[in-house]
Amino acid sequence: MSIAPSQSSIDLHAESLVIRPWFDPVIDTCGHDAHGRYIELFWVGVLGPSATWLYRRMAAGLAEYPDGYVLELAETASALGLALAPGRHSPFTRALQRTVFFGLAHQTDDGLRVRRKVPPLSRRQIERLPEHLRSAHPFWVRSPRDVEAAELSRASAIAAALLMAGDDFAAVEHRLGLLRIEPGVVQRAIDLALGDLRLQAG
């Protein structure tokens, strides 16, 4: 899936980003270990291998420095074997953008807040898995309610990123609709995103 420029306003010229934990009571309860089998089996085909490794590295940093730390971009890109070049289409930049687009991180003024656990996949993402993984997935989640809660949490993260990038409400609704997120979830996600943004601004 390509990521439109308006979907991320990460400073592409920064030498480093401040990484802090993203506290989410839903995902912190029903999510999966960032370095466990769930992400290897189910998320890597959605997120992509480069973004998966980058997310895991950021989550590992939070395990070592729970209050947050500074991620040196050139050093991290080199360690992952990714090119870091000017512009939003370099492999490392795209990997960073994908962690935001798929709701594993969200932007702050000076960096990112990163989930410490991986959410369950959304229904749409599960539908696109190979048949053997679709069959196995129910055994890895606690209940459909956990999936619904995770889908709302992820949708609100995407909505917040789009609103911060300058999209209006109609554009956010349209983009979430393209992801086949149910209308009721879309509205709740936008409401949650607006609440989070007001708290950050306050």
Side-chain angles (χ1 to χ4, degrees):
M1 176 183 294
S2 62
I3 300 177
S6 65
Q7 290 174 329
S8 175
S9 58
I10 295 170
D11 184 356
L12 303 180
H13 302 289
E15 295 182 357
S16 63
L17 293 174
V18 176
I19 305 299
R20 296 187 178 91
W22 177 354
F23 297 106
D24 182 331
V26 174
I27 303 305
D28 289 346
T29 300
C30 71
H32 299 266
D33 184 353
H35 296 87
R37 287 281 289 161
Y38 185 87
I39 192 171
E40 295 174 9
L41 288 172
F42 303 108
W43 261 103
V44 69
V46 174
L47 192 59
S50 296
T52 299
W53 279 109
L54 175 57
Y55 164 71
R56 281 183 152 184
R57 182 170 288 262
M58 293 190 293
L62 289 174
E64 187 173 358
Y65 304 102
D67 294 329
Y69 64 96
V70 175
L71 182 76
E72 300 294 339
L73 301 187
E75 178 182 294
T76 304
S78 177
L80 295 175
L82 299 175
L84 176 61
R88 66 180 65 255
H89 298 297
S90 73
F92 181 79
T93 300
R94 289 181 61 82
L96 194 62
Q97 290 173 320
R98 289 180 75 85
T99 66
V100 173
F101 182 79
F102 286 105
L104 297 182
H106 74 78
Q107 296 170 229
T108 62
D109 290 340
D110 56 357
L112 297 173
R113 287 198 179 270
V114 175
R115 291 193 186 279
R116 296 167 298 172
K117 288 191 175 183
V118 183
L121 295 183
S122 68
R123 289 191 186 90
R124 173 174 168 75
Q125 290 165 340
I126 294 168
E127 290 170 0
R128 299 179 68 177
L129 292 173
E131 193 279 331
H132 70 286
L133 291 179
R134 287 199 306 274
S135 298
H137 190 268
F139 298 99
W140 288 80
V141 294
R142 295 180 182 178
S143 70
R145 187 173 182 178
D146 287 336
V147 176
E148 291 171 5
E151 186 166 4
L152 174 60
S153 181
R154 182 168 46 250
S156 68
I158 295 171
L162 293 172
L163 290 168
M164 287 180 66
D167 285 7
D168 59 23
F169 295 158
V172 173
E173 287 182 354
H174 177 67
R175 288 178 183 271
L176 293 179
L178 290 177
L179 295 175
R180 292 180 60 187
I181 297 172
E182 295 181 3
V185 174
V186 167
Q187 190 56 57
R188 291 165 63 199
I190 292 174
D191 290 343
L192 285 173
L194 286 171
D196 288 344
L197 293 176
R198 290 191 189 101
L199 285 175
Q200 292 176 28

